[in-house]
Amino acid sequence: MKTTMWKVTRRLIKKSLGRFLSIMLLTMLGSMTLIGLKSAGSDINRSANEYFDKFDTVDLAVIASQGFGAADEKEIREAHGVSEVEFGNFTDTTIAKSSSSIRIYSAPRRISKFEVVKGRLPKRQDEIALTDRYRGKYKVGSNIEFAEKRGVPEQLKRHTYRVTGFINSTEIIADNTLGPSNAGTGALSGYAVVAKSAFKQNVPVIARIRFKDLKDVDRFGDSYTHKLKKHSKELEKLLSDNAADRKIELEKNLRAQYEKRMAGSNTSGFYTGQAKIGENHIDGKENYPSKISVPEPEYHVHTYRTIPGSDGVKMLRNMSFGVGKVGNVFPIVLYLVAALVTVANMTRFVYEERTNAGVMKALGYTERDVTKQFVTFGLCSGGIGSFLGVLLGTYGIPYVLCSSLMANMTMPIPELKFNWTIVGIAVFLSLSCTVLPVLAIVHREFKANAAQLLLPKPPSSSSRILLERVKFIWKRMSFIQKVTARNIFRYKQRMLMTIFGVIGSVALLCAGLGISSSVNDIEGRQFGDLIKYDVVVTKSDEITNDEQIKLDKVLKSSSVAKYEDVYIKQVSQQIKGVDDEQDITIMATSKKSFAPLIDIKTKALHNSITLPKNGVVITEKLAKLLGVSKGDTFNLNDGGKTYTVRVSEIAEMYAGHYMFVSDDYYSHVWGETPAANSYLVKVKEKSDIANVASKFMNLEGVKGVAHNLNIIEQVRGVSKSLLTVMFVLTIMSTLLAIVILYNLTNINMVERVREISTVKVLGFLNKEATMYIYRETVVLSIIGIVLGLISGKILHDFIIAYVAPSHVMFTPNIELWGYIVPSIAVIGILCVLCVYANRMIRKLNMLDALKSAD
């Protein structure tokens, strides 16, 4: 008997191979998408954790503007929870005869060790290991020469080094955006490592710290973030009162050095750039000073995600979070639609096999035996689909996503592994869709006796539809239109299944394409319509008249189109609910606006904003993070002090956080008049930005240069990650639409084969018979398309708000093609399936279909 049952089951699968394959594809798509998106994010996280742990990457770093004193070092070593501390040096310089800036580190021993790709690390003062991205330019054993900026103290004992190897950093992991630099063009081009003895000063400027309770903790998890934030606050508080003592120590040491050199009539070159030499200081050369003072020392605490050069770490975290968050939304919608169609398909399948079940029960088989056939069918189709989905979701989609997302990372591509939790969930959901409905339906339908099952199930009784009661419309409708209207409401289950199936497919397609357009639009909107400048030039605090003249000369050169002087200050704000401190750029001017180099506009109407007299203008993403609107106030931390600021307007901006303020309101809140310290510069030719930035950076009166290329690269990194995900999801959504509409067409044809045969006998042509039943699918699909586009917009708005990083906001608009393509895709699929339905009708044997089942 068992052998017979297995034969019957195999014939059942062979007989319904189309249904078997379609259910298999639906479960494969659902499990593949869920596993793929969730696994890709976790694979990136796991791989990053393993990489950071392997090289003991820093947890927190403290950078001291004037270096650390002995008291500073002792206090940091004894801070609560510290497991180990390593002090070191770094400096930014340029490769000789070029504008390429290089950050040179002293070789660490224990924390944030460098990955050696080729060769070895330097051991002597004249040796250096370069970033691996320079392997094509230099060879092991070749020499490289650097040129430090004039007018600032030299940090290195020598400028020519022999290359010993090539390395990767665990702090700078992006290969295309290494962050800003105070040398070269203002954007870091590479990095290198030398022996600690290669630095002139033995006073360290950076302290790298690791904590006991953060060892082996997931760096991307909430626990790590919470503990890291706690340690950061404790360290900031610990160092908050160190500046005064360090200033006295530095001035005392500087005076002693000067007097020692005076005792020898040799004081040339004594001015270090750190000292403010009193009244007799002229152009960096001085007679005996009446007073020696140094700028107030500053201690900046950074996490591994905010340390200079860590743009890649932030991008990596944003990518993994973005993929994971999309994986929380898209598969749910896809699974719901796939489950709906699978359940309907299996329901129809049970109804079709009603007579065969009656025969088997008449032959002595039990209801349990009959049920096994359908359960086996569901298990096989769902099981094979789940198996393929698990393989593709574990190794296929993550490979495509990780390879694309991490193409510009120095980290290795993650090793792909099974995520057993997600796999278990996906398999459970897939088999639940194919097995549980069968059990419920079979139990309800097959509990009747064999005689009842051998008779076909009576058709559902027809009733008047609501439209029939509207006489003036109903009587003007043609016969075909009346039939279509009645059949739509007669088969309510199929109606709902068609509408919801199309809604789901179109919504996923619309949302996926809409996110692509939103992401693509950021760069043009931000750096074309709103921000018109290319470079920000910051003046030195003690700029001389001669240095200002040289600076003005470059500003008025032919390569500069426009420039405006403004006051710019950068502050960091810890915002509740946001993991990392957010950098806020404050811009102040005495004019009514920052036009023409910044066009501050309202988000809703895109109207230009004039700077308010009694408040500030903040950008929209910052307002959302702070939870404020027009007229509200919030507290801003600046230099250890807290200022209460009133929000007068909220401006449109898509990358970074900005606060625009008038000089008068700034003076009112801060109690000091903001003197212009920077220039917004628009370059005539975009291709000349790096060259112009280099000219400014080479001036002694310039403290730093920043250009939009760094921000653009960050935005592109975020955009690329989401575009890659959306590309995969668009393909999944298209496949889903094909499978769903095929299933619906197939069910419709099978259910109504007698009806089709009847109208053909009455004289309907093949095309007329096709449209007799297919017209309903078209009408329902059009309704589904319209509702799907609306649902897609809602889903799109939810996703762009859900997955955007803390410093980026996506444009909310979906371009027209985001609505057109899903509509055309579904219509195209319907047209192909209409041809398929027509062929089925041509091959239909009307006599067999109309035979009585009695």
Short mmCIF file of all heavy atoms in Angstrom, two decimals, residues 130-165:
data_model
loop_
_atom_site.label_atom_id
_atom_site.label_comp_id
_atom_site.label_asym_id
_atom_site.label_seq_id
_atom_site.Cartn_x
_atom_site.Cartn_y
_atom_site.Cartn_z
N LEU A 130 54.23 51.77 3.15
CA LEU A 130 53.19 52.59 2.52
C LEU A 130 51.87 51.84 2.44
O LEU A 130 51.82 50.61 2.47
CB LEU A 130 53.63 53.00 1.11
CG LEU A 130 54.90 53.82 0.98
CD1 LEU A 130 55.24 54.02 -0.49
CD2 LEU A 130 54.76 55.16 1.68
N THR A 131 50.81 52.63 2.29
CA THR A 131 49.49 52.04 2.07
C THR A 131 49.51 51.17 0.83
O THR A 131 50.21 51.46 -0.15
CB THR A 131 48.43 53.14 1.92
OG1 THR A 131 47.20 52.55 1.53
CG2 THR A 131 48.81 54.13 0.82
N ASP A 132 48.73 50.10 0.85
CA ASP A 132 48.74 49.13 -0.24
C ASP A 132 48.28 49.73 -1.56
O ASP A 132 48.62 49.21 -2.62
CB ASP A 132 47.86 47.93 0.14
CG ASP A 132 47.99 46.79 -0.84
OD1 ASP A 132 49.13 46.41 -1.16
OD2 ASP A 132 46.95 46.29 -1.32
N ARG A 133 47.53 50.82 -1.49
CA ARG A 133 47.06 51.45 -2.74
C ARG A 133 48.21 52.07 -3.53
O ARG A 133 48.02 52.43 -4.70
CB ARG A 133 45.98 52.49 -2.42
CG ARG A 133 46.46 53.73 -1.73
CD ARG A 133 45.33 54.51 -1.09
NE ARG A 133 44.19 54.71 -1.94
CZ ARG A 133 43.72 55.92 -2.29
NH1 ARG A 133 44.34 57.01 -1.87
NH2 ARG A 133 42.66 56.03 -3.03
N TYR A 134 49.40 52.19 -2.92
CA TYR A 134 50.57 52.74 -3.61
C TYR A 134 51.50 51.63 -4.14
O TYR A 134 52.60 51.92 -4.59
CB TYR A 134 51.37 53.65 -2.68
CG TYR A 134 50.78 55.04 -2.54
CD1 TYR A 134 51.22 55.90 -1.54
CD2 TYR A 134 49.78 55.48 -3.39
CE1 TYR A 134 50.67 57.17 -1.40
CE2 TYR A 134 49.23 56.74 -3.26
CZ TYR A 134 49.67 57.58 -2.26
OH TYR A 134 49.12 58.83 -2.14
N ARG A 135 51.03 50.39 -4.07
CA ARG A 135 51.90 49.29 -4.49
C ARG A 135 52.25 49.38 -5.98
O ARG A 135 53.30 48.92 -6.42
CB ARG A 135 51.25 47.95 -4.19
CG ARG A 135 52.31 46.87 -3.96
CD ARG A 135 51.80 45.44 -3.95
NE ARG A 135 50.55 45.20 -3.27
CZ ARG A 135 50.02 43.99 -3.18
NH1 ARG A 135 50.63 42.96 -3.71
NH2 ARG A 135 48.85 43.82 -2.58
N GLY A 136 51.35 49.96 -6.76
CA GLY A 136 51.64 50.09 -8.19
C GLY A 136 52.61 51.23 -8.51
O GLY A 136 53.23 51.23 -9.57
N LYS A 137 52.76 52.18 -7.58
CA LYS A 137 53.64 53.34 -7.82
C LYS A 137 55.05 53.12 -7.28
O LYS A 137 56.02 53.68 -7.80
CB LYS A 137 53.04 54.59 -7.18
CG LYS A 137 51.71 55.02 -7.76
CD LYS A 137 51.21 56.29 -7.09
CE LYS A 137 49.88 56.73 -7.66
NZ LYS A 137 49.38 57.96 -7.00
N TYR A 138 55.15 52.35 -6.19
CA TYR A 138 56.45 52.14 -5.55
C TYR A 138 56.69 50.66 -5.37
O TYR A 138 55.75 49.85 -5.40
CB TYR A 138 56.50 52.84 -4.17
CG TYR A 138 56.32 54.35 -4.26
CD1 TYR A 138 55.04 54.91 -4.15
CD2 TYR A 138 57.40 55.19 -4.45
CE1 TYR A 138 54.86 56.29 -4.23
CE2 TYR A 138 57.24 56.57 -4.53
CZ TYR A 138 55.96 57.10 -4.42
OH TYR A 138 55.80 58.47 -4.50
N LYS A 139 57.94 50.31 -5.18
CA LYS A 139 58.32 48.92 -4.95
C LYS A 139 59.10 48.82 -3.65
O LYS A 139 59.67 49.81 -3.17
CB LYS A 139 59.18 48.41 -6.11
CG LYS A 139 58.45 48.35 -7.44
CD LYS A 139 59.36 47.81 -8.54
CE LYS A 139 58.62 47.75 -9.86
NZ LYS A 139 59.50 47.24 -10.95
N VAL A 140 59.10 47.63 -3.07
CA VAL A 140 59.92 47.41 -1.88
C VAL A 140 61.38 47.67 -2.24
O VAL A 140 61.89 47.13 -3.23
CB VAL A 140 59.74 45.97 -1.35
CG1 VAL A 140 60.72 45.69 -0.20
CG2 VAL A 140 58.31 45.75 -0.89
N GLY A 141 62.03 48.51 -1.45
CA GLY A 141 63.42 48.87 -1.70
C GLY A 141 63.60 50.22 -2.38
O GLY A 141 64.70 50.78 -2.38
N SER A 142 62.51 50.77 -2.98
CA SER A 142 62.60 52.09 -3.61
C SER A 142 62.51 53.19 -2.56
O SER A 142 62.16 52.94 -1.40
CB SER A 142 61.49 52.26 -4.64
OG SER A 142 60.22 52.18 -4.02
N ASN A 143 62.83 54.41 -2.95
CA ASN A 143 62.82 55.55 -2.04
C ASN A 143 61.60 56.44 -2.29
O ASN A 143 61.08 56.51 -3.41
CB ASN A 143 64.09 56.38 -2.18
CG ASN A 143 65.32 55.66 -1.68
OD1 ASN A 143 65.22 54.80 -0.80
ND2 ASN A 143 66.48 55.99 -2.22
N ILE A 144 61.18 57.11 -1.24
CA ILE A 144 60.09 58.09 -1.35
C ILE A 144 60.48 59.32 -0.53
O ILE A 144 61.08 59.20 0.54
CB ILE A 144 58.75 57.51 -0.85
CG1 ILE A 144 57.61 58.50 -1.06
CG2 ILE A 144 58.84 57.08 0.61
CD1 ILE A 144 56.23 57.93 -0.79
N GLU A 145 60.16 60.50 -1.07
CA GLU A 145 60.54 61.76 -0.42
C GLU A 145 59.30 62.57 -0.09
O GLU A 145 58.35 62.62 -0.89
CB GLU A 145 61.47 62.56 -1.33
CG GLU A 145 62.00 63.83 -0.68
CD GLU A 145 62.94 64.59 -1.60
OE1 GLU A 145 63.27 64.07 -2.70
OE2 GLU A 145 63.34 65.71 -1.24
N PHE A 146 59.30 63.21 1.07
CA PHE A 146 58.18 64.04 1.51
C PHE A 146 58.61 65.48 1.67
O PHE A 146 59.79 65.79 1.86
CB PHE A 146 57.63 63.53 2.86
CG PHE A 146 57.13 62.12 2.80
CD1 PHE A 146 57.89 61.08 3.29
CD2 PHE A 146 55.90 61.83 2.24
CE1 PHE A 146 57.44 59.78 3.24
CE2 PHE A 146 55.43 60.53 2.18
CZ PHE A 146 56.20 59.50 2.67
N ALA A 147 57.62 66.39 1.59
CA ALA A 147 57.87 67.82 1.77
C ALA A 147 56.86 68.34 2.78
O ALA A 147 55.66 68.38 2.49
CB ALA A 147 57.74 68.56 0.44
N GLU A 148 57.33 68.75 3.96
CA GLU A 148 56.43 69.29 4.98
C GLU A 148 56.12 70.75 4.69
O GLU A 148 56.90 71.46 4.07
CB GLU A 148 57.05 69.14 6.37
CG GLU A 148 57.25 67.68 6.78
CD GLU A 148 57.62 67.52 8.23
OE1 GLU A 148 56.75 67.78 9.09
OE2 GLU A 148 58.75 67.11 8.52
N LYS A 149 54.97 71.20 5.13
CA LYS A 149 54.50 72.56 4.85
C LYS A 149 55.39 73.60 5.51
O LYS A 149 55.80 73.44 6.66
CB LYS A 149 53.06 72.71 5.34
CG LYS A 149 52.42 74.04 4.97
CD LYS A 149 50.97 74.08 5.43
CE LYS A 149 50.34 75.43 5.09
NZ LYS A 149 48.93 75.47 5.52
N ARG A 150 55.66 74.67 4.77
CA ARG A 150 56.47 75.75 5.32
C ARG A 150 55.68 76.54 6.36
O ARG A 150 54.48 76.67 6.28
CB ARG A 150 56.91 76.70 4.21
CG ARG A 150 57.88 76.08 3.20
CD ARG A 150 58.17 77.05 2.08
NE ARG A 150 56.94 77.36 1.33
CZ ARG A 150 56.85 78.29 0.39
NH1 ARG A 150 57.89 79.03 0.10
NH2 ARG A 150 55.71 78.49 -0.24
N GLY A 151 56.39 77.07 7.35
CA GLY A 151 55.75 77.93 8.35
C GLY A 151 55.19 77.17 9.53
O GLY A 151 54.65 77.78 10.45
N VAL A 152 55.30 75.85 9.53
CA VAL A 152 54.85 75.05 10.67
C VAL A 152 56.01 74.18 11.11
O VAL A 152 56.92 73.88 10.32
CB VAL A 152 53.64 74.16 10.31
CG1 VAL A 152 52.44 75.01 9.93
CG2 VAL A 152 53.98 73.21 9.18
N PRO A 153 56.04 73.77 12.36
CA PRO A 153 57.18 72.98 12.83
C PRO A 153 57.27 71.64 12.14
O PRO A 153 56.26 70.98 11.91
CB PRO A 153 56.89 72.82 14.33
CG PRO A 153 55.42 72.98 14.45
CD PRO A 153 55.04 73.99 13.42
N GLU A 154 58.47 71.23 11.81
CA GLU A 154 58.67 69.93 11.19
C GLU A 154 58.55 68.84 12.24
O GLU A 154 59.10 68.95 13.34
CB GLU A 154 60.05 69.88 10.51
CG GLU A 154 60.15 70.81 9.30
CD GLU A 154 61.46 70.62 8.55
OE1 GLU A 154 62.38 70.01 9.15
OE2 GLU A 154 61.56 71.06 7.41
N GLN A 155 57.84 67.79 11.89
CA GLN A 155 57.61 66.69 12.82
C GLN A 155 58.56 65.52 12.60
O GLN A 155 58.83 64.75 13.52
CB GLN A 155 56.16 66.19 12.67
CG GLN A 155 55.10 67.24 12.91
CD GLN A 155 55.06 67.68 14.36
OE1 GLN A 155 55.17 66.88 15.27
NE2 GLN A 155 54.92 68.98 14.58
N LEU A 156 59.09 65.39 11.39
CA LEU A 156 59.92 64.24 11.04
C LEU A 156 61.40 64.60 11.03
O LEU A 156 61.78 65.71 10.65
CB LEU A 156 59.52 63.70 9.66
CG LEU A 156 58.06 63.26 9.51
CD1 LEU A 156 57.73 62.98 8.05
CD2 LEU A 156 57.78 62.04 10.37
N LYS A 157 62.23 63.66 11.43
CA LYS A 157 63.67 63.89 11.47
C LYS A 157 64.28 63.90 10.07
O LYS A 157 65.31 64.52 9.84
CB LYS A 157 64.35 62.80 12.31
CG LYS A 157 64.05 62.88 13.80
CD LYS A 157 64.77 61.77 14.56
CE LYS A 157 64.46 61.86 16.05
NZ LYS A 157 65.11 60.76 16.83
N ARG A 158 63.66 63.21 9.16
CA ARG A 158 64.17 63.14 7.80
C ARG A 158 63.00 63.16 6.83
O ARG A 158 61.85 62.95 7.22
CB ARG A 158 65.03 61.89 7.60
CG ARG A 158 64.29 60.61 7.88
CD ARG A 158 65.21 59.38 7.87
NE ARG A 158 65.91 59.24 6.62
CZ ARG A 158 67.25 59.26 6.49
NH1 ARG A 158 68.01 59.41 7.56
NH2 ARG A 158 67.82 59.11 5.32
N HIS A 159 63.29 63.37 5.54
CA HIS A 159 62.23 63.46 4.55
C HIS A 159 62.32 62.39 3.47
O HIS A 159 61.41 62.25 2.66
CB HIS A 159 62.24 64.84 3.90
CG HIS A 159 61.91 65.95 4.85
ND1 HIS A 159 62.67 67.08 4.99
CD2 HIS A 159 60.91 66.06 5.75
CE1 HIS A 159 62.15 67.85 5.92
NE2 HIS A 159 61.08 67.26 6.39
N THR A 160 63.42 61.63 3.44
CA THR A 160 63.57 60.56 2.45
C THR A 160 63.62 59.22 3.17
O THR A 160 64.36 59.06 4.16
CB THR A 160 64.85 60.75 1.62
OG1 THR A 160 64.81 62.03 0.98
CG2 THR A 160 64.96 59.67 0.55
N TYR A 161 62.84 58.25 2.67
CA TYR A 161 62.74 56.94 3.32
C TYR A 161 62.83 55.84 2.28
O TYR A 161 62.49 56.03 1.10
CB TYR A 161 61.41 56.81 4.07
CG TYR A 161 61.23 57.80 5.20
CD1 TYR A 161 60.73 59.07 4.95
CD2 TYR A 161 61.58 57.45 6.50
CE1 TYR A 161 60.56 59.98 5.99
CE2 TYR A 161 61.41 58.35 7.54
CZ TYR A 161 60.91 59.61 7.28
OH TYR A 161 60.76 60.51 8.30
N ARG A 162 63.23 54.68 2.75
CA ARG A 162 63.26 53.49 1.91
C ARG A 162 62.03 52.64 2.22
O ARG A 162 61.74 52.35 3.38
CB ARG A 162 64.54 52.69 2.16
CG ARG A 162 64.71 51.48 1.21
CD ARG A 162 66.08 50.84 1.39
NE ARG A 162 66.24 50.30 2.73
CZ ARG A 162 65.84 49.07 3.07
NH1 ARG A 162 65.25 48.29 2.18
NH2 ARG A 162 66.02 48.64 4.31
N VAL A 163 61.32 52.24 1.18
CA VAL A 163 60.08 51.48 1.33
C VAL A 163 60.41 50.04 1.71
O VAL A 163 61.16 49.35 1.01
CB VAL A 163 59.26 51.51 0.03
CG1 VAL A 163 57.99 50.68 0.19
CG2 VAL A 163 58.91 52.95 -0.36
N THR A 164 59.84 49.59 2.84
CA THR A 164 60.06 48.21 3.31
C THR A 164 58.85 47.31 3.07
O THR A 164 58.97 46.08 3.17
CB THR A 164 60.38 48.20 4.81
OG1 THR A 164 59.23 48.71 5.53
CG2 THR A 164 61.61 49.04 5.12
N GLY A 165 57.70 47.89 2.79
CA GLY A 165 56.52 47.05 2.59
C GLY A 165 55.27 47.87 2.35
O GLY A 165 55.32 49.12 2.29
#
